[in-house]
Amino acid sequence: MGIQPIDLQTLFTQLDKVGKTQFQQTQAAQLQNAMVHDEISRKQAAQKEAVEKTADLQDELEVRENKEHSSSGGQRRKKKDNSEDSAPEQEKQYFSDPGLGQHIDISG
């Protein structure tokens, strides 16, 4: 079955409409891609600014346990310091000038 001249005549008159339709379809696809990109950008910005809640409460429990252990460890350290103070040690001697802070130099 061949193409009749009337078919060609109809086809040529409709080419303008076909071109517009294809152009609109490509623009719609580009617009949809731009909208998806904007939505992704908004979500990423929201995630960046959002404060996230901690996932595990187990970490908090471990921290509390460590604090309890460290406080008892601090008491042990204090006991060691007290035992060192009671041990006979040489006293540290500090030298000081008796005239320190008594004279003001205003000569500039």
Side-chain angles (χ1 to χ4, degrees):
M1 178 172 176
I3 298 176
Q4 300 294 322
I6 190 75
D7 293 336
L8 287 175
Q9 185 179 6
T10 307
L11 178 68
F12 288 135
T13 58
Q14 299 296 324
L15 281 179
D16 186 36
K17 292 180 184 178
V18 171
K20 286 181 183 178
T21 305
Q22 288 179 349
F23 179 71
Q24 289 174 351
Q25 287 175 348
T26 56
Q27 276 193 337
Q30 290 174 354
L31 180 63
Q32 185 178 11
N33 287 339
M35 289 174 56
V36 168
H37 178 69
D38 289 341
E39 185 65 28
I40 290 171
S41 298
R42 281 190 215 120
K43 285 182 181 179
Q44 287 177 347
Q47 285 177 350
K48 190 181 289 185
E49 293 178 4
V51 176
E52 295 180 9
K53 189 173 181 179
T54 56
D56 295 334
L57 294 176
Q58 185 65 25
D59 294 336
E60 183 179 339
L61 294 175
E62 290 176 9
V63 170
R64 287 183 185 173
E65 289 175 5
N66 288 341
K67 285 182 181 179
E68 291 173 2
H69 292 299
S70 66
S71 64
S72 64
Q75 292 172 355
R76 291 180 199 155
R77 288 183 196 146
K78 289 179 185 176
K79 289 180 184 177
K80 285 183 181 180
D81 292 339
N82 290 339
S83 65
E84 289 176 3
D85 290 339
S86 64
E89 292 184 11
Q90 294 180 349
E91 284 190 31
K92 296 180 182 178
Q93 295 179 356
Y94 295 100
F95 298 101
S96 64
D97 184 18
L100 186 65
Q102 300 297 322
H103 303 288
I104 301 172
D105 184 17
I106 57 169
S107 64

